[in-house]
């Protein structure tokens, strides 16, 4: 999901967590949002990739078994993983599914109501209160709650102790920007978010010195005031803290037929070029801006800032004469051409090089939302001023997400590669 933290400094805006852009339909569908060398296939109703059980591989399902629970039917094109949370320093652990996989944000956030089997430790703010966080997303949603210490397990990797956000809209007195924060997994559409984007922290240097950063708060009782947060207390990208496999991730999802599938199964591999199962092959690396995590997309003669975001459930870009916003009542946030449109754009590194053409299709959201399927490679919606390559972009690709400042055979992050 992509941040919409207007009013913050440019640096903080760049590093803050974020997810999903776009709108919602009258159907209740909303945006928010390896195994190396394996091949994606489409089976017509369910897409599947060949996986392994390596310790650095997490299973991913798009509207599949990992999207279990009361939120499973909440919206289309939702990629889910499971993470294991343990009481710090103990073997008391709980695995939580229905965690949204999000390459557009940073950090692990889980609703307090989903954490029923563990006891976590409150992180203290610089002033001695309880550190809390307000995170806003591009679709207008927000998450609020305390920052707490947990032992986190990704796949079969060793547990790592780190701060996470425990989502709880009833904690303290939220700032105005989080007064309407999602109050439950049902409201959000997931039990939590695993943000594995291009940065190691959800705010970074911008929140170390500035109390008015729009994200971190110190709460004493019900009173919460803005505060700075040192790096070690900020919510980190969990991948960046792993002892191994910490330079990025690979998202692999299968090809899905244009008319959709019931679900799809793929994988999230930790590390790039760190083991035999994550060696890059035949991909192009697109350097991203170190402040914004964005690269460039030229479409219909105009160049936009763009990003790759599994947390957005469609392809979001400006409406033009090539494909215009839907005029069907209740679907104005989406595209619904009479026939499926074949389109193309040119992606490039943030400095203009390298570049390559990308072909994609946009179909009718009305038709999709009235089908029985939940995974759609041709779902798109109108967004002004930028290009959000959401979940459909990832179907049928191996996408590499290189964390800022880390090295791999693909270069030094931040970068996107596919």
């Amino acid at each position: 999901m992509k941040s919409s933290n207007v009013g913050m400094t440019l640096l903080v805006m760049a590093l803050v967590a974020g997810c999903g852009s776009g709108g919602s339909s009258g159907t209740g569908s909303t945006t928010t949002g390896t195994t190396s060398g394996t091949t994606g296939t489409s089976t017509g109703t369910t897409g599947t990739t060949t996986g392994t059980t390596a310790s650095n591989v997490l299973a991913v399902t798009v509207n599949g078994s990992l999207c279990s629970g009361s939120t499973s039917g909440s919206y289309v094109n939702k990629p889910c993983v499971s993470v294991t949370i343990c009481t710090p320093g103990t073997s008391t652990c709980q695995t939580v599914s229905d965690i949204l996989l999000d390459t557009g944000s940073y950090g692990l956030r889980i609703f307090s109501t989903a954490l029923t089997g563990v006891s976590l430790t409150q992180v203290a703010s610089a002033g001695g209160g309880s550190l809390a966080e307000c995170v806003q997303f591009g679709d207008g949603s927000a998450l609020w709650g305390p920052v707490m210490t947990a032992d986190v397990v990704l796949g079969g990797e060793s547990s790592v102790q780190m701060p996470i956000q425990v989502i709880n809209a009833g904690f303290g007195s939220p700032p105005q920007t989080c007064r309407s924060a999602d109050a439950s997994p049902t409201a959000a559409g997931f039990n939590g978010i695993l943000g594995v984007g291009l940065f190691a922290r959800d705010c970074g240097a911008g929140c170390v010195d500035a109390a008015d950063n729009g994200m971190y708060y110190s709460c004493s009782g019900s009173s919460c005031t803005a505060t700075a947060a040192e790096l070690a207390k900020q919510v980190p990208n969990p991948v960046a803290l792993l002892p191994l496999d910490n330079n990025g991730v690979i998202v692999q999802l299968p090809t899905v037929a244009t008319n959709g599938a019931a679900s799809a199964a793929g994988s999230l591999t930790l590390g790039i070029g760190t083991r035999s199962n994550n060696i890059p092959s035949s991909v192009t690396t697109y350097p991203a801006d170190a402040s914004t995590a964005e690269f460039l997309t030229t479409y219909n003669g105009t160049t936009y800032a763009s990003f790759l975001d599994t947390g957005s459930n469609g392809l979001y870009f400006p409406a033009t004469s090539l494909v215009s916003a839907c005029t069907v009542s209740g679907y104005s946030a989406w595209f619904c051409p009479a026939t499926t449109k074949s389109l193309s754009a040119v992606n490039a590194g943030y400095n203009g090089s390298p570049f390559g053409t990308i072909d994609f299709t946009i179909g009718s959201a009305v038709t999709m939302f009235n089908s029985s399927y939940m995974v759609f490679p041709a779902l798109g919606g109108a967004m002004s001023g930028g290009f959000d390559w959401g979940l459909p972009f990832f179907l049928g690709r191996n996408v590499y997400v290189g964390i800022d400042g880390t090295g791999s055979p693909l270069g030094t992050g931040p970068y996107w590669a596919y």
Side-chain angles (χ1 to χ4, degrees), residues 64-359:
S65 60
L66 297 175
C67 303
S68 60
S70 60
T71 69
S72 60
S74 56
Y75 61 88
V76 303
N77 285 353
K78 181 173 68 167
C80 301
V81 297
S82 293
V83 299
T84 297
I85 303 298
C86 304
T87 298
T90 76
S91 59
T92 302
C93 302
Q94 177 188 359
T95 297
V96 182
S97 62
D98 210 2
I99 301 294
L100 178 69
L101 175 65
D102 187 16
T103 61
S105 71
Y106 321 96
L108 180 59
R109 311 170 193 284
I110 302 180
F111 276 92
S112 60
T113 52
L115 292 171
T116 57
V118 293
S119 177
L120 306 184
T121 305
Q122 175 67 55
V123 173
S125 66
S130 298
L131 191 65
E133 188 173 21
C134 172
V135 181
Q136 301 169 262
F137 298 108
D139 62 353
S141 65
L143 299 174
W144 165 258
V147 178
M148 307 188 81
T149 299
D151 286 353
V152 175
V153 181
L154 300 180
E157 299 267 0
S158 301
S159 67
V160 179
Q161 196 166 105
M162 67 184 72
I164 69 171
Q165 184 187 31
V166 177
I167 306 165
N168 181 356
F171 180 80
S173 178
Q176 184 63 41
T177 49
C178 264
R179 294 286 168 81
S180 300
D182 288 334
S184 69
T186 301
F190 44 71
N191 279 329
I193 296 176
L194 176 62
V196 293
L198 296 182
F199 298 122
R201 305 277 174 181
D202 68 352
C203 186
C207 286
V208 173
D209 300 319
D212 188 20
N213 54 60
M215 291 185 66
Y216 283 100
Y217 295 82
S218 176
C219 298
S220 296
S222 61
S223 176
C224 298
T225 58
T227 186
E230 59 189 274
L231 285 178
K233 293 184 177 180
Q234 293 180 19
V235 174
N237 178 341
V239 177
L241 293 192
L242 294 174
L244 301 171
D245 308 317
N246 53 20
N247 59 354
V249 299
I250 309 167
V251 178
Q252 183 190 39
L253 293 173
T255 298
V256 169
T258 302
N259 67 328
S263 63
S267 58
L268 173 72
T269 297
L270 309 174
I272 298 172
T274 59
R275 306 189 187 205
S276 60
N277 70 352
N278 60 16
I279 303 299
S281 176
S282 302
V283 297
T284 301
T285 301
Y286 296 93
D289 185 276
S291 296
T292 65
E294 295 169 334
F295 65 150
L296 302 176
T297 294
T298 299
Y299 168 71
N300 195 31
T302 301
T303 299
Y304 302 95
S306 62
F307 51 96
L308 307 183
D309 184 8
T310 56
S312 290
N313 70 341
L315 302 174
Y316 297 99
F317 53 95
T320 67
S321 59
L322 298 180
V323 58
S324 56
C326 192
T327 58
V328 177
S329 177
Y331 293 85
S332 60
W334 303 99
F335 296 128
C336 58
T339 58
T340 299
K341 293 279 190 179
S342 295
L343 303 170
S344 67
V346 176
N347 284 342
Y350 78 98
N351 57 2
S353 178
F355 57 87
T357 299
I358 189 83
D359 297 319

Side-chain angles (χ1 to χ4, degrees), residues 10-90:
L10 182 61
L11 179 62
V12 174
M13 285 179 67
L15 299 184
V16 74
C19 171
S21 170
S24 61
S25 78
T27 66
S29 297
T30 65
T31 68
T32 347
T34 61
T35 55
S36 178
T38 59
T39 302
T41 59
S42 172
T43 62
T45 57
T46 302
T48 305
T49 56
T50 302
T52 75
T53 56
S55 62
N56 64 328
V57 179
L58 284 73
V60 178
T61 62
V62 184
N63 299 88
S65 60
L66 297 175
C67 303
S68 60
S70 60
T71 69
S72 60
S74 56
Y75 61 88
V76 303
N77 285 353
K78 181 173 68 167
C80 301
V81 297
S82 293
V83 299
T84 297
I85 303 298
C86 304
T87 298
T90 76

